[in-house]
Amino acid sequence: MDTNIDFKNIWKQQTSPKPNIEELINRLKKFKNENLRKLVITNILLIATCLCIAFIWYHYQPQLISTKIGIVLVILAMVIFLLAYNRMFTVFYKIDNTQSNHEYLQNLYQVKNQQKFMQTTMLNLYFIMLSSGICLYMYEYTSKMSSVSGILAYALTLIWIGFNWFYIRPKTIKKQEGKIDGLINKFEEINNQLKD
């Protein structure tokens, strides 16, 4: 009985569906454009929100220092988040149609690392600063309400923040990771086929 089986030849003879490179490049283009659009929309929304908050401060002239600190914290949270998030522009602009599979793969790893940083460090900082700022801002106005109304206002706000933190954020992260991991896996598959 012959025990020298050539697994490499058997593997090469398998007829598994090969990923279509054009289809993959189109998926990558779509992924890039979708993320660039999200970057632009996020910038517009957060800048508009900061301007609205600044207008509220100017127009309503809050009296307590806690309210002013809350406003500064909220605006600062958005500015810091945007500064970090906008570094994604350069990462996405590096991806173009003239690259090799290896370069696409390296850029996708970079996107994944930057996304991981945004999803953990920056999002944690953003939520902590934003939540603290909102709670400090609300104090001046809830202190003028009845105890029940004040507690209800804080409870609803904290429930909304908790819903975003524990439900929306993980769902969004999972969706982002699924898209980038799918692309990385396909490009790794192609790279491995090219090496063989």
Side-chain angles (χ1 to χ4, degrees), residues 27 33 45 47 61 70 86 90 97 121 135-136 141 154 187:
R27 272 182 61 192
N33 291 337
L45 290 175
I47 289 168
Q61 295 292 314
N86 284 335
T90 53
N97 296 341
T121 308
C135 288
L136 285 169
Y141 305 104
Y154 267 105
F187 276 102

Side-chain angles (χ1 to χ4, degrees), residues 1-190:
M1 184 173 150
D2 186 18
T3 56
N4 293 331
I5 300 169
D6 189 357
F7 285 109
K8 197 167 187 176
N9 273 336
I10 291 171
W11 183 257
K12 282 182 182 179
Q13 290 170 5
Q14 283 187 340
T15 55
S16 63
K18 306 266 188 256
N20 182 343
I21 191 72
E22 284 303 313
E23 182 185 317
L24 193 53
I25 299 294
N26 286 336
R27 272 182 61 192
L28 181 62
K29 249 190 256 182
K30 185 180 173 190
F31 175 77
K32 174 186 171 181
N33 291 337
E34 189 179 289
N35 278 283
L36 286 173
R37 194 171 29 259
K38 281 181 191 172
L39 273 164
V40 170
I41 291 168
T42 301
N43 272 276
I44 291 168
L45 290 175
L46 288 184
I47 289 168
T49 304
C50 286
L51 292 173
C52 286
I53 292 169
F55 173 76
I56 289 168
W57 185 351
Y58 173 77
H59 190 267
Y60 292 103
Q61 295 292 314
Q63 302 302 308
L64 296 179
I65 190 74
S66 62
T67 311
K68 294 171 185 174
I69 291 170
I71 291 172
V72 169
L73 269 176
V74 167
I75 291 174
L76 198 58
M78 291 180 195
V79 169
I80 290 170
F81 182 81
L82 277 180
L83 289 174
Y85 193 45
N86 284 335
R87 291 191 354 216
M88 294 290 280
F89 270 119
T90 53
V91 176
F92 283 115
Y93 272 115
K94 279 186 195 175
I95 300 172
D96 63 31
N97 296 341
T98 61
Q99 295 177 322
S100 68
N101 285 345
H102 179 72
E103 288 170 320
Y104 282 133
L105 198 51
Q106 293 311 309
N107 284 330
L108 287 172
Y109 287 141
Q110 198 175 356
V111 167
K112 184 175 174 131
N113 289 337
Q114 188 66 28
Q115 271 186 352
K116 197 72 162 166
F117 173 71
M118 289 304 300
Q119 292 164 350
T120 54
T121 308
M122 292 314 300
L123 216 48
N124 290 343
L125 180 65
Y126 177 74
F127 263 92
I128 290 167
M129 289 178 73
L130 192 67
S131 303
S132 303
I134 289 170
C135 288
L136 285 169
Y137 175 80
M138 287 176 60
Y139 177 72
E140 182 173 337
Y141 305 104
T142 54
S143 64
K144 295 174 184 171
M145 299 176 179
S146 69
S147 297
V148 174
S149 298
I151 290 169
L152 185 63
Y154 267 105
L156 289 174
T157 303
L158 293 175
I159 287 169
W160 177 248
I161 290 169
F163 174 74
N164 280 285
W165 181 256
F166 294 110
Y167 182 74
I168 303 285
R169 184 185 67 94
K171 204 171 179 177
T172 304
I173 289 171
K174 190 174 181 181
K175 190 176 174 184
Q176 286 176 340
E177 285 177 348
K179 285 182 180 181
I180 191 76
D181 287 343
L183 283 169
I184 287 172
N185 290 341
K186 290 292 183 188
F187 276 102
E188 282 177 342
E189 195 180 316
I190 287 173

